[in-house]
Amino acid sequence: MFVTIEGPEGSGKSTATETVINKLRELGYDVLKTREPGGTPISEQIRNVILDKDNKAMDGRTEALLYAAARRQHLIEKVWPAVKEGKIVICDRYIDSSLAYQGGARGLGIDNIVDINMFATENTWPDLTLLFDIPPELGLKRISLNKNREVNRLDLETLEFHKKVRQTFLNLAEKYSDRFVIIDASKDREQVAQDALDAILKRLCK
C-alpha cells in the first residue's frame, strides 16, 4: 500500500508519522518511510535547490517542474520497488502538496499541476492520503517555537499564502474523498498519531 502524509507547515505530520510507523512495525507490518522532495540521492539534490532560502528568484513553474522531476526519480528508485515487494510505503508529502502549493497558493492551476505530475508519475496516485489539517496561524506559531526545525523557503511565505495552501488541501480532500482522511492536527500529539494509525489500519482491512 502507498500512503501519503500531507498538511500545511507546522501540522506535526512528521512527528506523528514516526509514531505511526513504529506502531505498524510492532504489529508486524513491513514499512518503508520516505519523503518528498527527496528520498533518493538525486531527488535530495533537487530538494536542496527547491528549498534553498537564497533561491528567491525561482519561478513558480520552475518550482513545480523541479518537484515533479524529484518525484519521478523517487518513484523509480524507491516507491515502486517497495510496493512491488509488498511493503507499506509511507511518504511525507506527494502530489497533493504540489497541487496545494503550486496549483493553489501560487495560482498555477490545479489542472496544470495534475498534467505535469501525471506525466512524471505515469498516473500513480496514493492508495490512502492522510491530511493533517491545522489553521495556518497555529502551524506557523509551532514552527516559530521549534528551534530545532530547519526553516526553508516555503516557511517564509505570507500568512495569506499558507491560508491558500490549507484551503486547497481541504478542497482536494473533498474532491478525492475516496482516498483522503482528514486528521485534526490541532489535537495533542498522542491523539493525532492514534487517529492516523486507525485510518491506516482501517484501509488495510478493506
Side-chain angles (χ1 to χ4, degrees), residues 38-146:
T40 67
I42 292 173
S43 298
E44 288 289 340
Q45 290 177 56
I46 298 173
R47 176 191 179 91
N48 291 336
V49 173
I50 294 172
L51 298 181
D52 190 330
K53 289 183 289 185
D54 293 331
N55 289 338
K56 296 186 177 84
M58 187 179 295
D59 175 72
R61 294 188 183 215
T62 301
E63 184 179 78
L65 289 164
L66 285 171
Y67 274 115
R71 183 163 295 134
R72 170 72 185 181
Q73 194 66 31
H74 181 230
L75 283 171
I76 289 173
E77 288 192 70
K78 203 163 194 178
V79 177
W80 286 338
V83 171
K84 191 174 181 180
E85 290 169 7
K87 296 179 181 179
I88 299 174
V89 177
I90 297 184
C91 186
D92 189 341
R93 296 201 181 281
Y94 186 59
I95 286 176
D96 296 297
S97 279
S98 289
L99 299 180
Y101 284 83
Q102 285 76 49
R106 295 239 188 269
L108 297 180
I110 299 297
D111 290 343
N112 290 331
I113 303 302
V114 168
D115 289 344
I116 291 170
N117 280 278
M118 290 302 95
F119 171 74
T121 69
E122 297 180 49
N123 305 308
T124 301
W125 291 98
D127 299 301
L128 173 65
T129 299
L130 303 184
L131 172 58
F132 284 64
D133 180 49
I134 194 170
E137 296 88 347
L138 179 54
L140 295 175
K141 183 180 179 181
R142 283 181 176 178
I143 289 173
S144 68
L145 294 173
N146 185 357

Side-chain angles (χ1 to χ4, degrees), residues 11-28:
S11 62
K13 58 184 175 52
S14 299
T15 303
T17 300
E18 285 286 351
T19 302
V20 168
I21 288 172
N22 289 335
K23 290 186 176 180
L24 284 170
R25 286 173 176 161
E26 287 172 8
L27 292 170

Side-chain angles (χ1 to χ4, degrees), residues 1 8 12 17 31 38 40 56 60 69 83 88 94 103-104 109 126 130 144 162-163 166 173-174 181 188 193 202:
M1 188 166 73
T17 300
V31 184
T40 67
K56 296 186 177 84
V83 171
I88 299 174
Y94 186 59
L130 303 184
S144 68
H162 290 289
K163 285 181 177 179
R166 184 199 185 197
E174 184 176 356
V181 174
D188 64 77
K202 182 178 180 181

Side-chain angles (χ1 to χ4, degrees), residues 148-195:
N148 296 322
R149 186 186 187 279
E150 169 199 13
V151 177
N152 63 54
R153 193 168 55 84
L154 294 175
D155 294 332
L156 304 178
E157 293 287 350
T158 64
L159 177 60
E160 189 59 33
F161 176 90
H162 290 289
K163 285 181 177 179
K164 289 179 181 177
V165 168
R166 184 199 185 197
Q167 188 56 55
T168 307
F169 270 132
L170 292 173
N171 292 345
L172 291 169
E174 184 176 356
K175 181 176 181 180
Y176 300 111
S177 59
D178 58 321
R179 66 175 173 87
F180 262 91
V181 174
I182 298 177
I183 306 294
D184 183 353
S186 65
K187 296 179 181 178
D188 64 77
R189 288 181 178 180
E190 291 76 13
Q191 188 60 56
V192 170
Q194 187 60 52
D195 290 346

